[in-house]
Amino acid sequence: MADVQARRPARPGVDPVRLAALEVLKSVRVDDAYTNLVLPSVLRDFGLSGRDAAFATELVSGTIRRRGTYDAILAACIDRPVSKVEAKVLDAMRLGCHQLLSMRVPAHAAISTTVDLVRAKGSSGAGGFANAVLRRVAQQDLAAWLGQVAPDPRVAPTRYASIAYSHPRWVVDELRSAVGAEELFDLLAADNEPPRVTLVARPGRSTRDELPGEPTPYSPFGSVLAGGDPGEVAAVAGGRAGVQDEGSQLVAVVMAAATVEGRDERWLDLCAGPGGKAALLAALAAQRGAGLVASERQEHRAGLVRRSLRGADGVTGIVTADGTVPPYRAASFDRVLVDAPCTGLGALRRRPEARWRRRADDLLGLVLLQRRLVSAAIGLVRPGGVVLYATCSPVLSETRGVVGSVLETHPDVRLEDAVPLLPGVPRCAGPVPGTIQLWPHRHGTDAMFMALLRRTG
Ligand SMILES: C[S@@+](CC[C@H](N)C(=O)[O-])C[C@H]1O[C@@H](n2cnc3c(N)ncnc32)[C@H](O)[C@@H]1O
């Protein structure tokens, strides 16, 4: 009964699946919500599950990812700038574009349901407008539209990539600098594919054999789900396993595989929230009698770390602290992970709105913070111990730039060759010799970067 009362009343003539999708787009646009967080609660509100929930999820995520492409197509069908169209009408038309051009929904259904949405949310005049625009959109398929609205890639490569692969131009430029022109389009295409759900078996608490799905190619702990709700997997529900991208698993693998001379008892995760890597690290630490301190600046994210580490062995502390002024004794840790706050441009597959929300202006502040966090970590690790610097971004100023400046300012630190620590992973060399760079289009992981630094003096 309570469940039924919680549901939104259906509006006559309006498809609840599309209405739910429109609600999510509005939350993302108006409240800066994260698609992945708001979607489940809207699906619940509308009482959607199974195929309806899957359809709404693809509709929302695909529309947000491909917004750049669809806006260029809409611009060709509208006689005023797209930015002048009322935001909720534009949202509905973007949903219509995704159904028409990428979801094989029959044109009459895509158009009529969009017009119903616009009428339910706006005026009948706007309904007529949306009808006329989407009829034009429906006149040709996506490839034909791209031929019309995207420039020749040889003449204007960035603008072409930005429209054809729906990424902001500054992001295209950053990714080209990082991956090279030859692989750029493969990378951008991979960013537009929703990643498959990957599980991690936390060693000592569960095994990969307990998990459904196919073993991950590179992480010894991962399993790729073919479908279904990961929350229904017993080991996940019990916290003995979790949901974690294979690239993130490999960060913990590298951190644990680095050799340290002498004592190996005290591990620190300096930027631990929400706690995915900390949970795997704690399990690995426990297996060799070491203990992990998980440290995170934001209180609510420290709370997520607590939840992630519930019931785990190998945890010696969960602390809310600013990693740039850490409350720990100098030179007291044997291994420190700095999984730094970053632009996240290596994880665009899993965060549909991230490419539109990040700004080029964010970079400088992030790079300065990254340098301060790595410097603090170097002060916390004892001579002979290691700091692993990781980002889920391949942007060169966050990878090569940070490593270069840290090496310049810390004569007591040496960059080690981390590539041999991932022996089965092909073509993972990073932009500085010895560093690691994973890629969605090459490895099927987020674009994680890793640099292994050893404190010498
Ligand atoms: C990339 S996320 C870490 C992800 C985490 N390692 C995991 O695997 O779940 C970066 C984290 O750093 C935190 N952070 C940002 N500034 C920080 C600071 N000055 N000190 C410590 N943590 C910070 C953010 O709140 C965020 O939770």
Side-chain angles (χ1 to χ4, degrees), residues 101-119:
L101 301 174
S102 304
M103 285 184 82
R104 297 195 198 151
V105 173
H108 63 88
I111 295 172
S112 67
T113 52
T114 305
V115 171
D116 290 343
L117 270 188
V118 170
R119 291 207 166 113

Side-chain angles (χ1 to χ4, degrees), residues 319-408:
V319 182
T320 307
D322 182 345
T324 63
V325 281
Y328 311 111
R329 224 166 9 95
S332 60
F333 289 94
D334 305 309
R335 297 173 193 262
V336 180
L337 172 65
V338 181
D339 185 25
C342 67
T343 55
L345 295 191
L348 296 181
R349 307 176 305 159
R350 71 182 65 258
R351 299 176 196 147
E353 71 291 330
R355 68 188 71 178
W356 309 116
R357 204 163 274 169
R358 275 282 171 215
R359 299 272 164 253
D361 294 352
D362 298 340
L363 256 175
L364 181 60
L366 283 166
V367 164
L368 294 176
L369 176 58
Q370 290 156 358
R371 286 191 208 160
R372 291 178 67 201
L373 286 165
V374 181
S375 290
I378 290 167
L380 293 174
V381 79
R382 65 166 174 86
V386 290
V387 171
L388 183 65
Y389 170 61
T391 61
C392 62
S393 167
V395 171
L396 290 175
S397 48
E398 299 181 273
T399 59
R400 190 175 66 192
V402 170
V403 172
S405 87
V406 165
L407 291 175
E408 234 173 71

Side-chain angles (χ1 to χ4, degrees), residues 30-89:
V30 176
D31 309 325
D32 274 347
Y34 295 99
T35 310
N36 300 345
L37 295 185
V38 77
L39 186 62
S41 72
V42 171
L43 294 179
R44 242 188 339 267
D45 268 9
F46 279 79
L48 301 177
S49 58
R51 291 171 64 125
D52 284 347
F55 185 88
T57 301
E58 167 51 32
L59 190 49
V60 164
S61 307
T63 298
I64 295 176
R65 280 198 189 90
R66 300 304 304 246
R67 192 183 97 183
T69 305
Y70 299 150
D71 283 7
I73 294 169
L74 286 169
C77 300
I78 299 174
D79 55 7
R80 58 187 141 124
V82 166
S83 58
K84 299 278 183 224
V85 177
E86 196 182 357
K88 60 189 173 190
V89 176

